[in-house]
Amino acid sequence: MRLWLVRRRLQRGGDKREFVAIMLLEHFGDIVACEPIVRHVRTLKPNAFIVWGVRSAYRELIDSNPEIDETLVLHCLSERLWLARAGLFDQVIDLHLPERYCSLCRIPARKTNGCGNITLENFYAFGSILSAFAQCAGLPPLNEQPRVHVDDLVRARVDALRLPRGFIVIHGRSNHPDKDWPACKWQELIERIRGVDGAIIVEVGLVSAAGASADRDGYRNLCGKLTLLETADVIRRAGLFVGIDSGPAHFANALGTYGVLLLGRHLGFDRYMPFSRPYMDGDNCELIYADGLVFGIAVERVFEAVSRSRESARGDETRPAFASTSGGVRP
């Protein structure tokens, strides 16, 4: 393995740095949320050689992080446990919750220590994803704002999309159906927003939550057309993010984009908080909670929150003005 060679080469050259591994293979929202952990480790161990173990689908989030010395691509949860026992690393910070099993090789790969009372069923009782995962790895309950690192090449590719300044970006499809809002409500929301003053809406994600297949006047479908970091940069440029609890919502929190977030009952919690600061504190966002599943949130509540955000942005010179179909400033 390449990392064994790297370590031996460093040791032969007299480099005695600690090898520290952070293990969190998936999913991308969790990885974004837990980014402050690598900065915490770097502060404690400024000279350490820090490795992050991740699945290949999400490696660009790790490759772009200047605090990480090496991206370790792993195929499954079992592999990360084998590496933890192999003696390569001086410290392994395993952010996975206990009771996980490997869905690829079907081998039990459950974490058996270091988690205290935190489990897959109760982790939201310990705060945000960042707070709970950090505590599960024996770290303090961190709640700093995450960071996402977007380089000039990514920005150039997003420049080529020629998006108008201050558009509204939406995302509405997660890997948990009970967090999703139905397509008919997304369709109604889009039409109501466009009908007021012609705001331009850009949808991101793998598949359109609104069931759209093509662009139309005032709506642009970028679903399935962007890399993760391109998605992040699109969200960074938006005047407003409207969405559910999902990876792109963690991008919005990390990048300082004002959010309207739809949350409901999940994993047995009537109210839960996946985000760290600033969304955790209700800063830079409006949180809309359902009485039950997200499915039950009325379109009117979301539309009113969008309207409030748009009105606030018009009076705030630090936030981009919203674009309309009648024109817009190109970045």
Side-chain angles (χ1 to χ4, degrees), residues 293-309:
L293 297 177
V294 169
F295 184 95
I297 295 175
V299 173
E300 184 64 28
R301 289 182 65 192
V302 183
F303 177 71
E304 289 175 354
V306 170
S307 298
R308 283 190 291 272
S309 173

Side-chain angles (χ1 to χ4, degrees), residues 226-249:
L226 304 172
T227 68
L228 288 177
L229 289 180
E230 287 167 0
T231 299
D233 201 46
V234 168
I235 291 171
R236 179 185 66 84
R237 299 174 189 226
L240 174 66
F241 175 88
V242 183
I244 58 169
D245 170 17
S246 64

Side-chain angles (χ1 to χ4, degrees), residues 24-25 30 71 89 134 179 201 214 235 323:
L24 185 59
L25 276 65
D30 295 346
T71 302
F89 301 108
K179 296 193 294 187
I201 298 165
I235 291 171

